[in-house]
Amino acid sequence: MPLKRCVLLLLFFTPIAVAQEETAIRKGPVVVRGGDHGVGRIATDVRFEDLAGEFLQISQLTKDHRAVVIAMTSTSCPLSKKYLPSLIELAQTFSSRGVKFVVVNSVSADDVDDMQKSQSAFGRNAVYVFDRLGTLAGDLGAETTTDVFVLNNSRTVVYHGAIDDQYGFGYSLGSPRNTYLSDALHAVLDNRVPAVEATKAPG
């Protein structure tokens, strides 16, 4: 679902607790070929402003850090709200290992006060960007409000897809079966290619 239409999920999203692995999942992340999902390309060297008024540039972030995570989000999208605690925990875990988290909201109707609250929850472990015109999302090739990108220090996209498979359309697991983003970051920090380079992300 396009970023700007995520608000429609408020009408249709009804999480269902899933107790067993055998339970059918309506629609979760689907693994796709990395090359078909932007993996391997050099990210556009975008310059942007975060909520604090600081101007940042992709090339500088990748130069100064071992990896950069750019995570799409929305304060009005039910799936984004469910994934916010996961992103906060991942940012806390990996920031100390040289990974920079950039959280990007490209839903123009979202409330800035809500974004400020999300920024406060991340603390210094991430910067929050209100991509009002969708410029950053468009340059990255973001498709949904839960899409994440991992860039190495050469500005190359090494992972693009879902955070994990805990939440999706019409289901909610107690814990994820596949931790795609965490696994990709461990791989990059160990100078390995992620086992899963790309998935489709619900949102």
Side-chain angles (χ1 to χ4, degrees):
M1 181 174 291
L3 292 169
K4 294 182 180 178
R5 296 178 57 195
C6 179
V7 69
L8 296 178
L9 287 176
L10 289 167
L11 300 175
F12 301 108
F13 180 74
T14 53
I16 299 173
V18 178
Q20 300 178 352
E21 288 195 354
E22 294 82 4
T23 303
I25 291 177
R26 295 186 196 174
K27 186 176 180 183
V30 176
V31 176
V32 295
R33 288 169 51 93
D36 296 336
H37 212 43
V39 174
R41 71 179 178 85
I42 304 296
T44 305
D45 191 15
V46 183
R47 187 172 183 264
F48 55 91
E49 184 181 8
D50 68 8
L51 281 183
E54 181 180 357
F55 283 93
L56 306 167
Q57 191 150 352
I58 296 292
S59 60
Q60 191 62 51
L61 292 175
T62 54
K63 177 183 177 182
D64 293 343
H65 298 86
R66 298 181 67 190
V68 173
V69 174
I70 301 177
M72 308 308 299
T73 192
S74 166
T75 58
S76 62
C77 172
L79 284 176
S80 292
K81 287 195 265 189
K82 280 188 166 292
Y83 268 118
L84 185 63
S86 300
L87 274 177
I88 292 170
E89 183 177 354
L90 286 165
Q92 183 177 12
T93 298
F94 284 98
S95 291
S96 62
R97 298 189 61 189
V99 178
K100 184 67 174 181
F101 277 70
V102 179
V103 182
V104 180
N105 189 325
S106 293
V107 180
S108 60
D110 279 359
D111 187 81
V112 176
D113 288 341
D114 291 337
M115 296 181 207
Q116 295 282 5
K117 292 175 184 176
S118 294
Q119 169 68 83
S120 296
F122 280 100
R124 295 185 177 183
N125 294 322
V127 296
Y128 199 109
V129 178
F130 185 16
D131 185 32
R132 191 187 304 269
L133 300 178
T135 305
L136 182 53
D139 285 337
L140 287 168
E143 297 180 349
T144 73
T145 52
T146 63
D147 244 346
V148 295
F149 300 81
V150 177
L151 313 181
N152 65 16
N153 55 14
S154 297
R155 203 162 26 103
T156 302
V157 178
V158 294
Y159 174 76
H160 173 199
I163 296 168
D164 57 40
D165 60 358
Q166 185 171 6
Y167 306 114
F169 294 121
Y171 80 89
S172 178
L173 300 174
S175 59
R177 300 171 181 172
N178 297 283
T179 52
Y180 302 116
L181 176 56
S182 177
D183 293 348
L185 288 173
H186 280 297
V188 172
L189 294 175
D190 292 340
N191 296 313
R192 295 184 287 107
V193 175
V196 176
E197 295 179 305
T199 76
K200 291 291 186 177

